[in-house]
């Protein structure tokens, strides 16, 4: 039995948290590979080490002199080392990092040092080997993850190491530059290590006792989801359930390794298990979870007899492609077609896009709705239930919430509704209370 255990930032925010982590890891000999994040917030007002590193690098690059934030970062690590009574010094690393900042080696390198230093401390504390992610996680020149090379090299390396700590979040490109995954990317490293180690389980230790039906920052005390499928989690995490990075699912899904989300501060809690298939019913038989994000724009094109016009959709999407824009949804009716795009995709391009759409699709009208929030209602049970969409719409209508867009995913796994940004929180609370008793 092999388990890979990834610990998030709040699980490693200070020496007391390191002790909890060590207790968890050492209590089960199958926990052979540990993937730590950088130290996170110790309290609400605190700043994550990763954010301090970005700020420190930015200021250093701007002024040419090392930012005073660097001293604060050092202090946080040194505090952990001394409170754990460890006999190591990171002075040489600090010196190298400082020089690299002054030499402007890049912000990804800067951010990656958070997990690098933390993993060094963790390996010392646990008595495990330290394997630098820069030696086992690879990116292609175009910035995409190089799976074949990573798995080849990492597999061999893990064979030589009975127990090891591998820092999360980063790897190296073909020309030896450090590159990070997206924010929250230690989850991805953990999943890759689990796959390379042929693990029986990927444990993801965080500060909540699993994935909850809705974001606990919006709904008070939401219920926990005990089991969900990879596909449901992918929908939920993509749509804003930030408990797990949305890209952390593929490596383990492919290998069929279950993900187990657990709470470092309450290890006895059951947590959430993520698997390929489950017959288990959730709290509500149709709805597994609700998630959402603000900040979208809906462009709607209307044209009489659009249904008969061959190539309309292609011409529309061509304009987006030419302008390097990705889109989220494409709901369409008989004579209308809408594209939902993230606001940042449209930034500075709005006028160009509109005029190109006009020219290439010649619609009767184009309307633009801004400040839209998308909410995904996700559930594997939806396929076999009648009237789920109607219940969602009624729940929102009863609260006088105006629905600006609707899209039912072709997977029959989700229903997406668009509402005004200002109705976002209220909508999630309303849907939650309607479906979860
Ligand atoms: P870590 O530092 O361990 O990686 P994150 O902060 O990335 O932890 O993710 C855990 C947080 O995700 C929780 O503290 C919670 O605020 C947030 N979160 C958002 N949506 C959900 C959800 N549906 N279920 C559980 N947590 C959620
Ligand atoms: N420390 C990184 C971040 O804050 C990666 C992670 O926590 O997973 O995004
Ligand atoms: Mg995270």
């Amino acid at each position: 039995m092999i388990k890979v255990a990834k610990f998030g930032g709040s699980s490693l925010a200070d020496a007391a948290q390191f002790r909890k982590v060590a207790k968890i890891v050492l209590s089960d000999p199958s926990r052979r590979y540990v993937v730590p994040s950088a130290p996170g917030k110790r309290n609400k007002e605190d700043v994550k080490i990763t954010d301090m590193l970005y700020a420190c690098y930015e200021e250093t690059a701007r002024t040419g002199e090392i930012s005073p934030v660097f001293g604060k970062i050092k202090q946080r690590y040194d505090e952990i080392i001394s409170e754990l009574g460890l006999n190591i010094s990171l002075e040489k690393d600090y010196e190298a990092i400082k020089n690299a900042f002054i030499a402007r080696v890049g912000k990804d390198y800067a951010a990656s040092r958070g997990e690098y230093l933390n993993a060094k401390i963790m390996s010392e504390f646990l008595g495990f080997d330290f394997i630098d992610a820069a030696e086992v996680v690879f990116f292609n020149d175009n910035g995409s993850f190089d799976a074949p090379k990573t798995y080849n090299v990492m597999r061999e390396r893990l064979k030589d190491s009975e127990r090891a700590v591998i820092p999360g979040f980063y790897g190296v490109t073909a020309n030896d530059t450090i590159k990070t995954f997206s924010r929250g990317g230690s989850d991805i490293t953990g999943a890759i290590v689990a796959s390379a180690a042929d693990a029986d389980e990927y444990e993801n230790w965080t500060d909540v006792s699993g994935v909850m039906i809705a974001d606990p920052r919006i709904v008070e005390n939401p219920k926990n989801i005990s089991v969900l499928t990879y596909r449901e989690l992918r929908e939920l995490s993509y749509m804003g359930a930030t408990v797990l990075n949305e890209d952390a699912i593929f490596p383990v899904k492919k290998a069929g390794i279950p993900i187990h989300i657990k709470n470092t501060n309450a290890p006895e809690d059951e947590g959430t298990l993520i698997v390929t298939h489950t017959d288990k019913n959730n709290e509500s038989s149709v709805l597994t979870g609700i998630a959402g994000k603000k900040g979208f724009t809906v462009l709607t094109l209307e044209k009489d007899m659009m249904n008969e016009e061959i190539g309309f959709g292609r011409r529309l999407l061509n304009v987006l492609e030419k302008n390097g824009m990705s889109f989220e949804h494409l709901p369409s009716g008989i004579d209308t077609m809408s594209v939902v795009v993230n606001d940042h995709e449209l930034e500075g391009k709005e006028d160009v896009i509109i005029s190109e759409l006009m020219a290439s699709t010649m619609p009767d009208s184009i309307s633009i709705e801004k400040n839209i929030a998308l909410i995904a209602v996700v559930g594997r049970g939806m396929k076999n239930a009648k009237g789920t969409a109607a219940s969602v719409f009624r729940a929102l209508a009863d609260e006088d919430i105006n629905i600006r867009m609707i899209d039912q995913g072709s997977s029959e796994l989700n229903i997406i509704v668009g509402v005004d940004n200002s109705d976002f929180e209220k909508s999630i609370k309303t849907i939650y209370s309607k479906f979860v008793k």
Side-chain angles (χ1 to χ4, degrees):
M1 178 92 164
I2 298 178
K3 289 181 186 166
V4 169
K6 178 262 173 180
F7 291 88
S10 47
S11 301
L12 294 164
D14 58 21
Q17 290 298 107
F18 264 70
R19 288 207 179 87
K20 289 185 196 168
V21 167
K23 201 168 159 202
I24 291 167
V25 173
L26 300 174
S27 70
D28 181 349
S30 64
R31 294 188 175 118
R32 288 176 43 192
Y33 303 112
V34 173
V35 177
S37 292
K41 294 182 180 192
R42 293 161 292 187
N43 52 59
K44 259 203 159 128
E45 291 70 43
D46 205 8
V47 186
K48 278 179 144 190
I49 286 279
T50 310
D51 293 315
M52 292 169 86
L53 284 162
Y54 281 124
C56 177
Y57 180 73
E58 196 270 325
E59 193 184 336
T60 306
R62 192 161 31 84
T63 62
E65 270 173 52
I66 192 75
S67 149
V69 179
F70 197 73
K72 291 189 187 154
I73 295 169
K74 262 173 44 175
Q75 200 185 342
R76 277 197 67 180
Y77 286 108
D78 285 342
E79 243 171 58
I80 295 174
I81 294 172
S82 82
E83 282 179 33
L84 294 178
L86 295 174
N87 193 16
I88 51 163
S89 157
L90 296 177
E91 283 309 322
K92 271 197 184 139
D93 286 306
Y94 297 149
E95 201 51 32
I97 295 168
K98 192 172 92 182
N99 292 332
F101 276 33
I102 293 167
R104 297 195 176 102
V105 290
K107 77 178 201 337
D108 279 24
Y109 166 86
S112 77
R113 296 304 90 185
E115 342 307 271
Y116 169 85
L117 295 170
N118 223 25
K120 279 202 146 176
I121 300 174
M122 184 50 84
S123 78
E124 187 67 25
F125 192 44
L126 293 173
F128 284 21
D129 298 335
F130 169 79
I131 300 179
D132 190 348
E135 291 169 19
V136 288
V137 177
F138 301 95
F139 293 93
N140 294 305
D141 281 338
N142 67 5
S144 62
F145 170 57
D146 185 346
K149 184 170 179 194
T150 300
Y151 288 122
N152 273 338
V153 175
M154 197 187 283
R155 264 195 202 108
E156 288 307 309
R157 186 65 190 268
L158 295 181
K159 276 187 201 150
D160 290 339
S161 181
E162 193 59 27
R163 300 180 184 281
V165 178
I166 304 122
F169 195 34
Y170 71 95
V172 70
T173 63
N175 64 15
D176 260 354
T177 309
I178 296 283
K179 185 179 155 47
T180 64
F181 291 109
S182 58
R183 291 303 303 266
S186 297
D187 290 333
I188 306 175
T189 311
I192 293 166
V193 174
S195 175
D198 234 335
D200 298 278
E201 192 168 289
Y202 170 30
E203 291 182 334
N204 192 287
W205 293 83
T206 182
D207 62 350
V208 283
S209 294
V211 185
M212 298 167 192
I213 296 180
D215 190 330
R217 291 162 297 189
I218 298 174
V219 172
E220 209 178 315
N221 274 326
K223 288 192 177 165
N224 227 66
I225 307 172
S226 59
V227 185
L228 76 166
T229 65
Y230 296 117
R231 288 181 60 198
E232 288 175 312
L233 180 67
R234 165 86 176 148
E235 300 274 352
L236 289 170
S237 57
Y238 184 76
M239 284 301 291
T242 52
V243 60
L244 195 80
N245 182 296
E246 69 218 43
D247 294 330
I249 294 157
F250 297 112
V252 276
K253 180 181 173 199
K254 212 166 163 200
I257 302 166
I259 309 174
H260 199 168
I261 310 238
K262 296 273 290 173
N263 190 344
T264 301
N265 305 316
E268 61 292 347
D269 285 358
E270 235 179 76
T272 298
L273 201 63
I274 297 130
V275 293
T276 312
H277 287 293
T278 171
D279 295 329
K280 198 173 171 212
N281 273 346
N282 274 316
E283 279 296 328
S284 135
S285 57
V286 288
L287 171 148
T288 302
I290 313 160
K293 285 198 274 203
K294 291 182 183 176
F296 294 90
T297 297
V298 184
L299 299 169
T300 300
L301 285 76
E302 275 195 53
K303 188 173 188 180
D304 283 350
M305 308 293 284
M306 185 192 286
N307 62 322
E308 293 199 345
E309 187 177 323
I310 292 173
F312 186 92
R314 179 181 53 75
R315 283 194 289 279
L316 187 161
L317 294 180
N318 220 353
V319 172
L320 303 187
E321 184 177 346
K322 241 181 57 200
N323 286 282
M325 270 172 72
S326 73
F327 66 94
E328 305 288 318
H329 299 281
L330 194 69
S332 63
I334 304 174
D335 297 320
T336 66
M337 195 172 269
S338 304
V339 250
V340 183
V341 295
N342 204 309
D343 284 348
H344 69 73
E345 293 279 332
L346 205 57
E347 235 169 60
K349 293 184 188 162
E350 196 175 315
D351 295 341
V352 179
I353 298 286
I354 302 293
S355 66
E356 287 186 18
L357 282 175
M358 282 294 210
S360 73
T361 65
M362 293 188 281
D364 298 335
S365 69
I366 296 188
S367 66
I368 305 178
E369 292 195 78
K370 295 190 175 176
N371 303 318
I372 301 287
L374 296 181
I375 296 169
V377 181
V378 177
R380 58 183 182 274
M382 249 177 230
K383 231 183 348 219
N384 305 316
K386 287 198 183 79
T388 312
S391 305
V392 171
F393 305 151
R394 201 171 320 116
L396 296 175
D398 286 349
E399 291 294 316
D400 268 340
I401 296 166
N402 191 5
I403 301 178
R404 315 288 295 272
M405 186 220 71
I406 295 166
D407 193 21
Q408 177 147 29
S410 38
S411 57
E412 283 195 66
L413 195 64
N414 66 19
I415 295 164
I416 311 265
V417 289
V419 298
D420 279 337
N421 278 343
S422 58
D423 283 331
F424 178 67
E425 283 85 5
K426 189 175 168 196
S427 302
I428 291 195
K429 284 184 190 149
T430 301
I431 298 170
Y432 181 88
S433 60
K434 169 81 192 174
F435 282 89
V436 186
K437 299 292 175 217

